[in-house]
Every structure is written in C-alpha cells, then in structure tokens.
Amino acid sequence: MPREALHVSRRIAVLGATGLVGRTVLRVLEERRFPLDELRPLASDAGGRTVTAFGREWPVSAVSERSFDGVDIALFASANAISQQWAPVARAAGARVIDNSSAFRYHDDVPLVVPEVNAHALAGDPTLIANPNCSTIAIVVALAPLARAAGLQTLEVATYQAVSGAGSEAAAELERGIRGGLDGPPPPRTDGGPAFAYNVVPQIDRFEDNGYTREEMKIAWETRKILELPDLAVAATAARVPVRIGHCAHVSAVFERPVPPDEARSLWASFPGLKVIDDPAHGRFPTALDADGIDDVLVGRARTSLVNPRGLLFFCASDNLRKGAATNAVQIAQALDELAVRVARRAR
Amino acid sequence: MPREALHVSRRIAVLGATGLVGRTVLRVLEERRFPLDELRPLASDAGGRTVTAFGREWPVSAVSERSFDGVDIALFASANAISQQWAPVARAAGARVIDNSSAFRYHDDVPLVVPEVNAHALAGDPTLIANPNCSTIAIVVALAPLARAAGLQTLEVATYQAVSGAGSEAAAELERGIRGGLDGPPPPRTDGGPAFAYNVVPQIDRFEDNGYTREEMKIAWETRKILELPDLAVAATAARVPVRIGHCAHVSAVFERPVPPDEARSLWASFPGLKVIDDPAHGRFPTALDADGIDDVLVGRARTSLVNPRGLLFFCASDNLRKGAATNAVQIAQALDELAVRVARRAR
C-alpha cells in the first residue's frame, strides 16, 4: 500500500504572519516543503497587508471567530494577549494550536516541546502545544544529551541575545540606533528604554519579585519542564546585545559525574539539531553570525569547569527566529503531522 | 609648615601615548590635574605624531635608550613585547614603571594593583607595578567589599567586552564592519577573524591548553592575586560584543555565608570606586553605555543565586579604557605620588 495513497488533511493557519517570527514560520514551512492543503496567514491587525511564501503573495486576513474553521494546525506567532484570546477559538474550531507566546507554557496540561528533546510529550494528541523561549530552546538541545548521559544537577547561564528576539519594532529601533550613532552616542530609544545600539542591556522582560527578570526565570522554568527535571536549580542572567539575529549563551552545568569535553563533543555530534563547532586550535567556535539563517544549534567551547570538576562550561549560538521560534514550531507541526499519518495508517 | 613648600619631582613619561589607552591616560592625568613637572609622550612608532593634553599639543617622541632619563613615573600603555623591551630601560634610568600590559602581571615580585582594593601592595617602593586586565579590574572592585565581609569561595564570570579593549585597529575594524553591514551582513574582518560588528565572539586572546582563552585565565589569575586568595576557584567565559566602550560582566560568586542583595548594595555603596545602579522597579541597572566616559565601576542586578543560597549574582559595567586601563594606572601613579610626598615630609 503506497504511502502517498493516505491523505491527511493539512490546512494551516499562521497567526501573527506579518511579524518577524510569523514571516520566518512561512519561510521554514516553504523550505521544508510542508505538504499544505491550505494556508491562512492571519494577523490581529491585518490592514490589507500581504506576505510572500511558496513562491506567491498571500493576503493576510484579520483574525476573526471564523478564521480557524476547518484548520488542522494553527501556528501562533503572537504576543501573550493575542494567543490567550484566540487559542480557545482555534481549539473550539478543531485546530491544534502551536503557540509561540509564553501564555500557556507553564500550564501543567500544556506540553512544552523541543522535538529533538521531548517529542514524546506530543503523545496523547494535545490540542495546544507551547513553543519554548528562544534562549531556552538552544540551551536544552545542547544540554539534553549530556543530561541523559551524566545526570544534570545545576545550571548557570548568561545569555547574549539578539534584538530581533524582542520583535520587529525593537529590530527597527536597533537599526535607527546604529545609524543614529555612527558618529557619536546612539539616540535615545523611542520608548525611553536604554539604547539597544552599541550597548549591553541586562534586562529582558519585566522584573520578578526575586530580582530576576521574567526572561531569566523562563530559562529556569522551561528547562525544568522540557528536561523533566522539576527540581533542577537554575540561575540565569539574560542580556540584550546589539546583534540582529543570533542568541548566544555561556552555559555552566554541573552533572552527577565529570563529563570530559571530548565526551560532550561526541554526545553532541550524535544528537539531532546540534552542530559542534569546537576547534580552538583553528579559531573555530560558535558565533551569533554563524548561527544566523540556519536551523541547527551551534555548540562549542567545551571545557571542564575550574570551579567544580563535575562542571562543564560551553557556549552555544542559535538563530532566535528559526530554532528559537519558527523552526521549532514548524518541527512540532511536522511531528503532529507524522502522528496524524500514523493514526490514519492504523485506521485503514 | 605649609604642605606646598614640599617639592616632589613629577616628571611623567607615557609610552604608547598615541594608542587608545595612552590617549586616555593623558586625558585622565589632565582631568585629575596631576601636578606635572614634565610630560614626555612616547611611542614605539612615533613618526612625527602629536597628542593633545593639558590644553596644548605635544610632539610624541620615538622611545629610545635616553627617553626615561630623569623620569619619575613611566606609564606604559603598550603591548607585551614593547613593555618587556622598555621596562628594564626605564627602571635602570630610575623611573617607576606602571605597566598596562600583561607581561609582568604574574611575576611574584611585581605588585598587581587596583588602588581601591590593594593599595597596600605599593608599600616597599616597587619600581615596577602591573595594571590589571580590563575586565578583572571592574570585577575585583565589586567583589572586594563582599569578599572581605563574607569570604569569597568560588567565582564564575561571563563577560560582554567592548571592542576598544582590543586596541585602536580593532575599534576601527568595528566601525568598518558596522558601516559595511548597515544593509546586509558585515564585511569579513581584515585579519580573517570573525566580524566584530553585529556579532558575539567568544574568543579574546589566544587559547590555553585547558580550553580556556588567556583572557579567561587572566580573570582567574589576577583576581586571585589582587584579592590575595591564591586558591580561589574561578571559571570564566570572555566574549566580545559590538560595543565601542564599556565592558560588562555577569558575576556569580559563592561566599562562606549568604550575602543578601541589600547587604551587597550597602557594602558597595560605601566602597570607593563603585556606583550602585540597582533599582529594577524603575528599570535601573548598569549598561555599557552608562559606563562609557566615567571612572566608577557600575554595579547592580544583585540577587541571590537560585543554585546556591550562599551565592550572589550581579552585573557590572565599566569604561574599559578608563577604570579598566588608564584611570587605574593614573590612580596608581597618584598613590605613588602620595607615598613620595609622605617620604619627603618624613625626611624634613
């Protein structure tokens, strides 16, 4: 029985299609030749815009109560409030929602999925799946094979995050700041915040009562949930750097036993979604620009911690719009699609 | 007996006067109204250049065997090889050398001094004093009061370092990269290294056999020497970010007892050379641009580690050309000058 005889419905909606992540979702769907039956680009403020994908222009519709009728998978590249408003509508219409916002990530009944790490969380046919934080995704892909091999005990992280992670307005603000600061200090930011351009800003998202930012706590909360280590101790610093695309992170992890750098590189090399760039003798290590435009997480600079013999330090870099957001969401859609194909095959 | 009746000789040479640090040394000497009897701007490749200081232009002389005759204090803002060549000449001529290179920092008989922290290391009238690494200086000023109060046990650091820390050619390379990359990827670097512009580069200085860069090991070696904690365990990641001036660092320190953030802020507030910027509720924390142009080390984002209850995380920012180099060197010169005044007073 030829596989192509099976037909699984693939009507896809993309909410937030005009944003940085939404446009990248469309690009990744196209690159991966996702077998679409229908594509519905949606936006909360459509206003007659179009997006380009699969070699043609698509009108973007304003999202409405009827937008998700007949939709199989809805990819949400939207802010929390928009996701909270429309996820129930999409689910009621029968769509499975893959949400890139943080609105549902910490709900016990919502799987938080990085397919290379915990695709098994998709079993049970969930109708709402959360896509993790952009920095967290890269870090957990790099940690997962080490954690499985050696048991992860504690985690410290310092991030170097690209401005596109804050959305298209922030990205435009960076460009204005860079141009306005070519021959002097950068101009103040429109919203009064500290300049992105030529600066390091150790605040991403709002502050929590414990002195950490919400971005820093997301790295803790989400790493625990994805790696299924609910008691893992995690302390993070998240900082914005004047980079367009490409989140980097210094990672300092302590395991139950020492993990020699050679073992780490070997574990990484055989894990999906990772590319090891770790050859100091030839000046090879991950950088933000190396990660820009690719789907793999780059990992390198592996070395034994000088503070704890069971500690390993490494550095990772990933495209925050791709693996950190759109690619991971599309991978979840592909995994759901494969599950649907399997179900259809069993049903024959 | 009026103090001004005392005359202490203050003939100052500045080697590397045309570089980024050398020019900042001249600016800081002027700002601090250092009471000069004579100023000799020197360079290893002078070629008829001039520098501006104290309201006038000064010709820069090519350094020679006679350059240090009669000089009291020689401030070296030069690369290791130049410092190694000329420090013995200057000392033989009777000058006290304050060297900004790393050539002598790890010699047991050479004090490595951050005046706020270990000015006592200047006792004994040393004729060669080393100025520490730019990142290390900021970190040890912030750590010193905490270490004294609570005993420092381990230290992890991740730096966000400005490109000016790599010298004027690197700074020019950053500007070329930013301009060349305004509308696309930045051009390749002249020396073949990864672009500074729009990038994060986790390599500063060459790699050591243990997988750490020399910059990362300098933070370990120098923190131990300055804080007089020879066995302190230190693990660092040093990365370059596309910032002109202003080194930042994520610091995660473990003490013998818990140091509540309020206690840390209080200890910092009463320590010289530090400015606490730590008011999350009002979006106040240290940034690289805030540090640009000032002599204080900015410190904030104090919070208890979520990995160790005796751990404290904080973030610091400092002007790498000022407190990270020139200002610290001039402060050492001022301390030597005060010692000379005291000696002269005792001799009367």
Side-chain angles (χ1 to χ4, degrees), chain B residues 144-187:
Chain B
L146 312 181
R148 273 175 212 171
L152 180 60
Q153 286 192 328
T154 66
L155 176 64
E156 299 200 36
V157 170
T159 68
Y160 303 68
Q161 297 187 220
V163 178
S164 59
S168 50
E169 274 182 43
E173 190 77 73
L174 171 67
E175 299 300 333
R176 270 195 298 277
I178 285 175
R179 284 163 170 78
L182 282 177
D183 299 301

Side-chain angles (χ1 to χ4, degrees), chain B residues 25 137 175 187 200 203 231 255 257 260 297 309-310:
Chain B
V25 164
I137 290 176
E175 299 300 333
V200 177
Q203 181 191 5
D231 302 318
F255 299 90
R257 63 162 175 86
V297 174
R310 291 181 288 102

Side-chain angles (χ1 to χ4, degrees), chain A residues 20 23 45 77 101 104 115 119 122 139 149 152 174 190 245 313 322:
Chain A
L20 284 180
R23 279 183 279 149
D45 54 345
S101 86
F104 305 105
L122 294 174
I139 293 164
L152 180 59
L174 171 68
T190 320
I245 292 178
L313 266 60
R322 286 178 167 266

Side-chain angles (χ1 to χ4, degrees), chain A residues 30-73:
Chain A
E30 178 178 349
E31 286 170 2
R32 297 186 166 224
R33 301 171 201 277
F34 195 90
L36 289 171
D37 292 313
E38 190 187 329
L39 179 64
R40 291 190 204 165
L42 304 170
S44 54
D45 54 345
R49 280 180 286 177
T50 60
V51 288
T52 305
F54 295 91
R56 52 165 280 206
E57 264 197 320
W58 306 71
V60 179
S61 306
V63 61
S64 73
E65 293 291 328
R66 302 258 67 88
S67 292
F68 302 99
D69 289 358
V71 164
D72 300 296
I73 297 178

Side-chain angles (χ1 to χ4, degrees), chain A residues 156 159 212 216 250 252 304, chain B residues 156 160 212 237 252 301 304:
Chain A
E156 298 201 37
T159 68
Y212 289 78
E216 291 161 355
H250 146 93
S252 172
T304 301
Chain B
E156 299 200 36
Y160 303 68
Y212 289 78
T237 291
S252 172
R301 298 259 12 234
T304 301

Side-chain angles (χ1 to χ4, degrees), chain A residues 156 159-160 179 181-184 199 202-203 211-212 216 234 236-237 244 250 252 285-286 288-289 301 303-304 306, chain B residues 156 159-160 179 181-184 199 202-203 211-212 216 234 236-237 244 250 252 285-286 288-289 301 303-304 306:
Chain A
E156 298 201 37
T159 68
Y160 304 69
R179 282 164 172 79
L182 283 176
D183 300 300
N199 204 6
Q203 181 192 5
Y212 289 78
E216 291 161 355
V234 182
T237 291
R244 288 170 178 148
H250 146 93
S252 172
F285 39 75
L289 281 174
R301 298 265 4 239
R303 57 214 195 273
T304 301
L306 301 174
Chain B
E156 299 200 36
T159 68
Y160 303 68
R179 284 163 170 78
L182 282 177
D183 299 301
N199 205 6
Q203 181 191 5
Y212 289 78
E216 291 161 354
V234 182
T237 291
R244 287 170 178 148
H250 146 93
S252 172
F285 39 76
L289 281 174
R301 298 259 12 234
R303 58 214 193 273
T304 301
L306 300 175

Side-chain angles (χ1 to χ4, degrees), chain A residues 27 68 74 114-115 129 151 165 167 182 192 206 210 214 224 230 244 261 313 318:
Chain A
R27 194 174 311 129
F68 302 99
V114 179
I129 301 108
L182 283 176
R206 66 174 191 267
N210 64 358
R214 207 166 162 79
R224 285 181 198 138
R244 288 170 178 148
L313 266 60
S318 70

